[in-house]
Amino acid sequence: AMNLIRAKGIDEAMELLDQNNIDIVLSAYRLPDGNGGDLLEALAEKEIETPVVILTAYGDDMIASELIQAGAYDYLTKNRLSKKSISQSIASAVEKARLKREIRMVQDKMAEMATLDELTGLYNRRYFEDAFNRDFARAKRHGPELVLSMMDLDHFKEINDTYGHSAGDMVLSDSSLTVRKFLLSYFN
């Protein structure tokens, strides 16, 4: 089932997009309060990633190129509209949006994997070095104090040697959970 919602201009469209889960936007190029480029700009400003297909009465390649560069998924001229061209454009835009979401999820997961330790869920050395360098430079420029705390688990090697790496992993995991709970309670 397909539900259609109609907006009379950019402001109304933005309001509807804010309030509803909309899969795709079909928009005329000329709008009462702007044009398709203005709509794309408003969407980008609010970081709304709903795919947009622009319909126009004229087949201007320059406008089409600008709209695609501004984020439109497709551009159709009204004089060449058909059931097939609209269906293909919608299907293509929806699929492209789905692929973009999947790519973003994979990128986010890769970034997480690159900065978080899988066992403890804490930031790893790479993240620590980047954050420390950034915060140290900021503290140097602006003067606030910088506090660095380090921890050492006493006798950790003995736990690994005596009970095995699985027991050591449990100790690390439990210790990180304790530290995380302490920090959350202390800073909240």
Side-chain angles (χ1 to χ4, degrees), residues 108-180:
D108 291 347
K109 183 66 178 169
M110 287 174 62
E112 181 182 298
M113 289 171 64
T115 59
L116 289 179
D117 177 73
E118 186 179 347
L119 175 67
T120 63
L122 298 175
Y123 290 112
N124 63 18
R125 180 180 176 158
R126 177 183 299 140
Y127 181 88
F128 166 76
E129 289 174 354
D130 290 344
F132 178 78
N133 289 333
R134 181 185 61 242
D135 292 345
F136 184 75
R138 186 180 325 126
K140 213 171 171 183
R141 280 191 314 271
H142 301 293
E145 295 179 11
L146 178 67
V147 176
L148 175 65
S149 174
M150 295 182 71
M151 295 177 54
D152 180 43
L153 295 178
D154 289 339
H155 312 292
F156 181 71
K157 183 179 179 339
E158 290 173 28
I159 293 169
N160 264 344
D161 291 346
T162 305
Y163 301 105
H165 290 283
S166 294
D169 287 352
M170 275 182 26
V171 169
L172 285 175
S173 182
D174 289 349
S175 298
S176 69
L177 186 60
T178 301
V179 169
R180 202 174 316 140

Side-chain angles (χ1 to χ4, degrees), residues 7-32:
K8 293 182 179 131
I10 295 171
D11 292 337
E12 189 178 335
M14 296 304 292
E15 201 172 295
L16 287 169
L17 284 162
D18 250 358
Q19 298 169 359
N20 299 280
N21 185 16
I22 295 175
D23 296 318
I24 189 164
V25 173
L26 296 175
S27 175
Y29 177 71
R30 296 186 192 280
L31 300 166

Side-chain angles (χ1 to χ4, degrees), residues 8 42-43 50 66 88 90 104 130 154 172 179 185:
K8 293 182 179 131
L43 290 168
T50 304
E66 288 173 10
Q88 286 176 339
I90 289 172
R104 190 173 36 263
D130 290 344
D154 289 339
L172 285 175
V179 169
S185 68

Side-chain angles (χ1 to χ4, degrees), residues 75-95:
Y75 172 90
L76 300 170
T77 57
K78 290 179 183 175
N79 63 344
R80 293 189 181 159
L81 283 184
S82 68
K83 202 176 200 181
K84 184 178 179 181
S85 67
I86 292 173
S87 295
Q88 286 176 339
S89 182
I90 289 172
S92 174
V94 169
E95 178 64 9

